[in-house]
Amino acid sequence: MRRIALAAAAALMLTACGSGGGSAGQELSKEPVTLRFTWWGADERHKRTQQVIDLFQKKHPNITVKGEFKDWNGYWESLATTVAANDAPDVIQMDELYLASYAERGALLDLGTATKHLKTADFDKSALDTGIVKGKQYAIPVGLSTYAIVANTDLLDQFKIKLPDDGTWSWDDFKKAGAEVSKAGGGKVTGVQSFGFDAGSLNIWARQNGAALFDVAGKVAVPENVLASYWTFIKDLAKSGVSPAPSVTIERAGGPLDQSGTATNASVFATWWNTQLTSLSAASGSKLKLLRLPGESQASSPAAYYKPSMFWSISSRSKHPAEAAVFVDFLANSEEAANILLTDRGVPANTKIRAAITPKLGETDKAAVEFLDTIKVGTAPRVTPNGASNLEAIIKRHTEEVLFDRLTPEQAAKSFIKELQTEIDGA
Amino acid sequence: MSALGELQRMRKGSRGTLGVAREPKKDNKAAFAFLLPWFAGLLFITAGPIAASFVLGFTDYNLIQPPVFNGLDNWMRMLGDARLHKALGVTLVYVLVSVPLQLACALALALLLDKGLRGLAFYRSAFYLPSLLGSSVAIAVLWRQIFGADGLFNQVLSMAGIEGKGWISDPDSALSTLIVLNVWTFGAPMVIFLAGLRQIPAMYYEAAATDGAGKWTQFRRITIPLLSPIVFFNLVLQVIHAFQSFTQAFVVSGGSGGPSDSTLFYTLYLYQRGFGNFDMGYASALAWLLLVIIAAFTAINFWAAKFWVVYDD
Amino acid sequence: MTELRKLLRHAGLLLLALVMLYPVLWMVVSSLRPNNEIFRRPGLILDSLQIQNYGEGWNALASPFGHYLANSAILVLACIIGNLVSCSMAAYAFARLDFTGKRLWFAIMLGTIMLPIHVIIVPQYIMFSQLDWVNTFLPLVVPKFLATDAFFVFLMVQFIRGLPRELDEAARIDGCGHARIFLRIILPLMLPALATTVIFTFIWTWNDFFGQLIYLTDPEMYTVPVALRSFVDATVQTSWGSMFAMSVVSLAPVFLAFLVGQRYLIRGIATTGGK
């Protein structure tokens, strides 16, 4: 038994040998090459992506790309396992929450070494910077999105309530507008669906208060009193009936998009990423409008920011880094590919591509692009530090504790900072 | 002497009456032949990964970089891990409440559906159907149709004038909905009970009937003792299974074990540590703690079995 | 009086069945609804039939859904054969033979199912990837032929121990060896246990997500549970109608398997005589 144990442990040590960002061989092979490419998503994305793969293979007859699509949860289990076994796919769709966790541990290729095949000239520097970890470009942003309020104008018309002016409104105005709706909605419709279950809302709140969730070094930097005010506001929304009862709020926040209050026309205001407007409009069948965040005009500098919807990255242990770079270049820069993908992975971060596809978009997608183009943003927050990949789960749990009076906002603030910092220190 | 007594004597004294004493000699050779596939599986498939997880329990292993030995750190960390303690509590409640409830339902329905009723095939299949769905993705959505804010349960309540809530998303009731979900899938143990009932030789009942024993006596003196090995099997396996319960809580809570950790099953927490936080060393240690707990419960079950399980050998 | 009692019994059972089947019915109804009505409309009343969901769901992924059904069917069949053969052999040894260290081996067997799969899967994946078995059915099937499903070994042990021992002892007096006793006496008598094994292996393999997700990387190899999950993304609008339609389609074979299998559950010793 002991011998088996040692042998097994030895095998693990051997397989997990990569210790950091290999570099891309620059020469393309003339031999047939097979790349594995993995992404998460729903059926629509699988279809479009496969078409892009087919197109790429036509242009590069010696490269075969095998697409491996997964659902979100399965994706991360599967990716972690394959990376552990030194068997990771070559091209990896990456999320902001996990980027540093994989990059800092050496699982991703430094794309700076692949510039021969992978061009980034058409990207804004601020967008590209979101893919930088510890000074190296480990990932290329695919799409950009920004946090916004989605308002159901059909319901507002029905209740004869005026659409608030999103150029000047404060969080108080937001609450007042919501209260008006809740009153008119008679229990069936509430003003605000839910707020405070994701990193977007917390980032915005911290930035409007002149703070940041993390400092440059990756330590938790948000002060306790800012966090406490965040949870006080959330609790206030629930207590005053602006948002539904806690259990209902949590249910809607935790469910898939189609079951949210916005999608089922059960609430008028809700926070979303601007790129979700199309999905929400289709699901609700109502007229929805993107509004700028409350409190922006009171804040000293814009708290809104561009968040990459996802990234392209390459495994550091890929046997064909040059070909993988060629493929990522195609995904990121080809107008033909973009014409197929459109906004499925968010509004393209590549500005040239964005301009090229905009005329081809539907009405709601156009609205989302326009919103993104016109909003005032500050510099993007630091990438989620290594070890904090469960950030959203921690936020969500603390919001639940506050809503159900198990923690006061002050206790939640203390506990949140302690837990999150412990996770980062442990990584 | 009653026929029933005769029968029991016959069963107890079977070896004597047939005149074959059990050979003292062991059947090592035959046993090895029959166990060959199992031994091979143990050696080549099961042992390695189990041993590896044991070793990893003493390391800091983030899945991407090689594991680093850290002695008893993981084990010391468990003492101060509040979420682990919460998970232990949640799991224990779940095991102690849902297993007896599920088995009682399964046994009751198996007895009802054993024979003597029209449409048995239909009922059996109808009661089994939920078990087929129990671990699918659809269950998250389906369960919300029952216990969600707009679900069936609240509609029934509102007819009685009671205002409902989102039962799945309230920390006071979330675990109960998962217990109901587990009871709802009683089809699996029910099927095993049905199979067990069918294996009881009809002659025993015939003998009892000639003896004038009523249904209740037959149930107590034939069905229960002869079914006891199967009840025992279901009990042992359902306890093990309930301790490892994962999919339903994972799917229904979206992987969080929420709201506010009220459905944080042990394996769900372990999974969050291992895959969500790249903390596989700690997760492995957690797994071995769970193994010790399950083994203890199983040992208690086996010990208690001496008092109520009747074997024919 | 007895008629009335029967009627009451049926009424009770029917009501219970209805409550238990509500979610299933809801799923069937939802598979026939337009996508954006599914969550906006409670209840089971259909006012239009969206049959297209079935066609769209069938063709929504890289291959027609039938491809994933076929993959699952092959996998299930192989696992059933594996479990039937290997587990019944091991069970016979544990139930009827006396050998050195029997209790210890039995404890080890039970112990192997006490560790959660999540910590086993990584070392196991590494092992199978060294063997180059990843993206084949082998990591999912070979273990079944090696009796690694202790659940079924234990199940069959319990059933065999419930069989009257005088049967095989009588056979032994007639000069039968263990192989003959096992094949001629024990196996036929444990038909209900074998049927249970078939039903459970079928359903668990059909529904098992974790192993199939990890080991089958190429969409060509995907099985039903992996395919079904790739319909859903919580952050965008999901084709729920198609997803429910394909869930119904994938539920049908399992349900049929059960309908057929349950007949064998009731053909135990009671009907074969047992003497």
Side-chain angles (χ1 to χ4, degrees):
Chain A
M1 200 64 179
R2 200 183 137 80
R3 258 162 87 190
I4 299 171
L6 288 176
L12 277 175
M13 316 261 180
L14 282 178
T15 40
C17 59
S19 55
S23 69
Q26 298 290 298
E27 292 315 308
L28 290 176
S29 170
K30 299 230 161 29
E31 305 292 307
V33 165
T34 301
L35 294 176
R36 286 165 60 210
F37 167 35
T38 187
W39 70 88
W40 70 84
D43 56 332
E44 185 63 29
R45 179 175 301 161
H46 307 330
K47 246 191 243 154
R48 288 176 190 267
T49 311
Q50 189 56 49
Q51 289 170 19
V52 171
I53 291 174
D54 294 342
L55 190 66
F56 176 78
Q57 291 183 149
K58 239 182 246 156
K59 291 181 188 292
H60 301 267
N62 72 321
I63 304 179
T64 310
V65 179
K66 290 209 154 172
E68 300 175 3
F69 52 84
K70 306 270 158 80
D71 70 301
W72 169 265
N73 281 315
Y75 183 82
W76 297 107
E77 284 159 27
S78 178
L79 184 63
T81 309
T82 49
V83 169
N86 209 355
D87 188 29
D90 303 274
V91 177
I92 300 168
Q93 182 173 311
M94 186 47 71
D95 183 77
E96 195 271 335
L97 283 173
Y98 289 90
L99 176 58
S101 295
Y102 278 95
E104 286 186 27
R105 292 174 176 135
L108 303 181
L109 182 78
D110 174 6
L111 300 179
T113 62
T115 44
K116 183 171 166 200
H117 303 295
L118 175 51
K119 306 291 179 215
T120 54
D122 296 328
F123 286 78
D124 280 340
K125 186 181 173 305
S126 65
L128 274 182
D129 282 354
T130 58
I132 290 182
V133 177
K134 297 247 152 126
K136 285 180 183 162
Q137 188 87 45
Y138 283 108
I140 306 285
V142 178
L144 292 182
S145 54
T146 185
Y147 213 57
I149 302 281
V150 171
N152 187 325
T153 52
D154 278 354
L155 281 174
L156 283 176
D157 289 347
Q158 188 190 322
F159 297 141
K160 304 202 166 49
I161 294 169
K162 228 179 79 214
L163 185 72
D165 175 8
D166 69 336
T168 58
W169 67 342
S170 64
W171 288 102
D172 256 352
D173 299 329
F174 175 69
K175 194 182 138 191
K176 269 186 213 132
E180 251 183 283
V181 173
S182 288
K183 211 174 136 208
K188 288 246 184 288
V189 178
T190 56
V192 176
Q193 176 199 227
S194 57
F195 174 72
F197 291 88
D198 58 2
S201 60
L202 185 54
N203 265 315
I204 295 290
W205 195 272
R207 286 156 65 92
Q208 287 191 349
N209 284 284
L213 190 45
F214 303 107
D215 64 16
V216 188
K219 284 224 172 265
V220 183
V222 57
E224 262 178 45
N225 64 332
V226 171
L227 281 172
S229 70
Y230 171 74
W231 275 308
T232 306
F233 182 72
I234 292 165
K235 194 172 168 176
D236 200 28
L237 285 182
K239 289 266 147 51
S240 55
V242 175
S243 59
S247 68
V248 181
T249 302
I250 292 170
E251 183 180 312
R252 296 209 177 125
L257 178 140
D258 303 76
Q259 293 186 55
S260 64
T262 310
T264 55
N265 297 317
S267 63
V268 170
F269 301 109
T271 48
W272 292 95
W273 297 97
N274 70 318
T275 42
Q276 289 171 308
L277 182 69
T278 301
S279 282
L280 288 166
S281 301
S284 70
S286 301
K287 251 182 91 75
L288 304 180
K289 189 170 168 28
L290 289 168
L291 301 180
R292 273 164 284 178
L293 292 160
E296 285 290 270
S297 53
Q298 289 82 29
S300 50
S301 61
Y305 60 94
Y306 289 150
K307 176 196 178 280
S309 56
M310 55 193 76
F311 298 93
W312 300 128
S313 57
I314 298 175
S315 164
S316 62
R317 293 160 208 172
S318 168
K319 289 190 189 75
H320 311 288
E323 286 78 6
V326 171
F327 182 58
V328 171
D329 183 70
F330 183 74
L331 290 170
N333 295 316
S334 156
E335 210 178 304
E336 282 173 283
N339 281 336
I340 297 168
L341 294 172
L342 295 176
T343 56
D344 180 70
R345 283 185 168 85
V347 177
N350 181 323
T351 46
K352 210 171 122 195
I353 294 290
R354 191 193 306 172
I357 65 159
T358 306
K360 301 187 178 71
L361 298 178
E363 197 187 331
T364 48
D365 270 340
K366 267 191 190 140
V369 173
E370 194 195 307
F371 186 84
L372 192 87
D373 282 338
T374 53
I375 195 171
K376 276 199 214 102
V377 293
T379 48
R382 180 201 195 280
V383 63
T384 303
N386 181 9
S389 49
N390 60 345
L391 169 66
E392 295 221 327
I394 300 180
I395 296 174
K396 181 168 173 281
R397 177 152 39 82
H398 282 86
T399 300
E400 288 164 354
E401 304 269 7
V402 169
L403 283 176
F404 279 101
D405 290 325
R406 302 191 166 196
L407 291 178
T408 65
E410 291 75 23
Q411 288 166 330
K414 263 202 183 64
S415 149
F416 174 82
I417 293 173
K418 189 169 160 239
E419 184 175 340
L420 190 56
Q421 190 59 52
T422 311
E423 296 291 8
I424 295 169
D425 293 341
Chain B
M1 212 4 135
S2 73
L4 206 62
E6 188 79 25
L7 184 77
Q8 281 182 347
R9 225 188 41 225
M10 189 184 95
R11 290 181 52 228
K12 287 215 173 93
S14 60
R15 271 154 238 141
T17 49
L18 280 168
V20 187
R22 184 164 329 170
E23 305 112 294
K25 173 174 139 262
K26 293 191 183 261
D27 310 303
N28 278 345
K29 245 190 195 159
F32 184 73
F34 275 97
L35 283 174
L36 194 60
W38 181 73
F39 276 126
L42 184 66
L43 193 64
F44 295 115
I45 308 268
T46 323
I50 288 182
S53 77
F54 182 73
V55 175
L56 289 174
F58 298 92
T59 66
D60 185 0
Y61 177 42
N62 64 25
L63 287 170
I64 301 171
Q65 291 157 317
V68 179
F69 276 92
N70 65 359
L72 291 175
D73 284 6
N74 290 332
W75 299 85
M76 301 313 286
R77 194 172 139 197
M78 290 180 194
L79 296 175
D81 185 346
R83 292 191 76 207
L84 170 63
H85 305 156
K86 173 93 198 192
L88 274 171
V90 167
T91 309
L92 219 53
V93 170
Y94 180 76
V95 171
L96 295 179
V97 177
S98 86
V99 171
L101 270 181
Q102 194 201 32
L103 286 185
C105 284
L107 184 58
L109 265 297
L111 288 170
L112 263 179
L113 300 179
D114 184 30
K115 49 190 157 183
L117 205 65
R118 268 162 181 265
L120 277 184
F122 165 75
Y123 287 126
R124 279 193 203 119
S125 312
F127 292 132
Y128 193 71
L129 198 53
S131 306
L132 306 181
L133 271 179
S135 56
S136 68
V137 243
I139 197 68
V141 179
L142 298 183
W143 217 236
R144 212 161 274 182
Q145 295 310 312
I146 298 190
F147 288 114
D150 308 317
L152 184 68
F153 191 58
N154 277 349
Q155 286 166 26
V156 174
L157 283 184
S158 73
M159 275 190 257
I162 304 167
E163 201 195 336
K165 56 178 179 178
W167 299 90
I168 293 172
S169 308
D170 188 314
D172 293 327
S173 56
L175 183 58
S176 308
T177 66
L178 286 183
I179 289 173
V180 175
L181 177 55
N182 190 45
V183 175
W184 183 63
T185 58
F186 65 71
M190 179 187 80
V191 163
I192 298 173
F193 280 136
L194 274 172
L197 284 173
R198 279 297 150 165
Q199 216 175 16
I200 299 174
M203 59 177 186
Y204 290 178
Y205 289 107
E206 283 155 19
T210 26
D211 200 43
K215 287 263 177 216
W216 175 243
T217 316
Q218 289 184 23
F219 174 70
R220 255 185 45 222
R221 302 191 61 181
I222 303 177
T223 312
I224 288 294
L226 286 181
L227 198 59
S228 63
I230 305 303
V231 178
F232 173 65
F233 167 83
N234 268 331
L235 181 67
V236 169
L237 264 300
Q238 292 302 326
V239 167
I240 295 178
H241 191 71
F243 266 111
Q244 298 187 350
S245 203
F246 174 79
T247 311
Q248 294 170 350
F250 181 83
V251 175
V252 171
S253 74
S256 71
S260 66
D261 281 351
S262 58
T263 62
L264 186 69
F265 287 171
Y266 194 98
T267 46
L268 192 52
Y269 180 56
L270 179 153
Y271 170 88
Q272 288 181 2
R273 294 310 319 170
F275 285 99
N277 291 76
F278 301 89
D279 205 356
M280 198 45 100
Y282 188 54
S284 300
L286 286 176
W288 277 84
L289 176 66
L290 182 65
L291 179 120
V292 170
I293 296 170
I294 296 179
F297 270 78
T298 308
I300 293 171
N301 260 333
F302 269 85
W303 172 79
K306 284 183 197 148
F307 303 103
W308 63 277
V309 180
V310 183
Y311 288 112
D312 206 26
D313 55 2
Chain C
M1 183 59 201
T2 50
E3 279 304 305
L4 186 71
R5 272 181 63 178
K6 256 191 188 156
L7 211 67
L8 279 176
R9 210 159 149 198
H10 275 292
L13 282 171
L14 270 176
L15 187 71
L16 186 62
L18 196 70
V19 171
M20 292 208 38
L21 289 183
Y22 178 82
V24 183
L25 295 175
W26 188 86
M27 186 172 91
V28 174
V29 168
S30 297
S31 76
L32 292 166
R33 273 186 175 150
N35 214 10
N36 51 9
E37 268 185 30
I38 291 173
F39 296 110
R40 278 196 265 153
R41 194 173 277 240
L44 294 178
I45 295 152
L46 266 174
D47 37 28
S48 68
L49 279 187
Q50 190 85 359
I51 309 276
Q52 306 90 294
N53 283 343
Y54 282 81
E56 281 165 17
W58 188 268
N59 292 314
L61 301 174
S63 312
F65 205 78
H67 186 81
Y68 307 115
L69 287 169
N71 279 346
S72 271
I74 295 168
L75 184 65
V76 160
L77 197 67
C79 288
I80 287 177
I81 296 171
N83 269 346
L84 281 181
V85 173
S86 67
C87 294
S88 62
M89 285 171 67
Y92 179 75
F94 279 120
R96 283 298 202 249
L97 302 177
D98 199 13
F99 55 94
T100 317
K102 176 166 157 176
R103 288 168 64 99
L104 176 70
W105 291 117
F106 192 75
I108 289 177
M109 179 195 71
L110 271 188
T112 57
I113 52 174
M114 290 180 193
L115 266 187
I117 170 130
H118 309 104
V119 297
I120 305 291
I121 196 94
V122 171
Q124 207 180 54
Y125 184 94
I126 292 173
M127 187 174 85
F128 285 132
S129 80
Q130 307 275 316
L131 291 172
D132 225 357
W133 282 9
V134 171
N135 205 26
T136 69
F137 287 150
L138 292 175
L140 302 166
V141 169
V142 170
K144 307 286 175 192
F145 277 86
L146 300 178
T148 50
D149 250 339
F151 177 90
F152 295 112
V153 180
F154 188 25
L155 173 79
M156 293 189 205
V157 166
Q158 292 305 92
F159 270 88
I160 295 174
R161 291 185 73 176
L163 295 173
R165 213 179 234 272
E166 49 266 44
L167 293 171
D168 36 325
E169 280 174 359
R172 200 179 295 191
I173 295 169
D174 291 344
C176 286
H178 285 299
R180 275 180 75 111
I181 295 175
F182 172 65
L183 288 172
R184 290 293 168 80
I185 297 177
I186 300 293
L187 274 188
L189 287 181
M190 59 189 281
L191 199 61
L194 297 178
T196 312
T197 303
V198 171
I199 291 176
F200 283 14
T201 308
F202 191 123
I203 287 151
W204 288 346
T205 312
W206 195 262
N207 282 337
D208 168 47
F209 171 68
F210 205 65
Q212 297 173 18
L213 166 91
I214 301 276
Y215 287 118
L216 306 175
T217 53
D218 185 345
E220 279 287 296
M221 301 294 289
Y222 280 6
T223 50
V224 169
V226 183
L228 273 183
R229 292 216 188 195
S230 51
F231 275 99
V232 183
D233 188 335
T235 60
V236 296
Q237 210 197 6
T238 296
S239 324
W240 292 99
S242 308
M243 200 277 269
F244 287 129
M246 288 307 103
S247 295
V248 172
V249 166
S250 70
L251 204 57
V254 203
F255 187 61
L256 287 178
F258 182 77
L259 264 182
V260 174
Q262 62 98 23
R263 286 172 46 218
Y264 293 92
L265 285 177
I266 53 173
R267 274 198 209 157
I269 204 167
T271 43
T272 50
K275 265 220 136 180

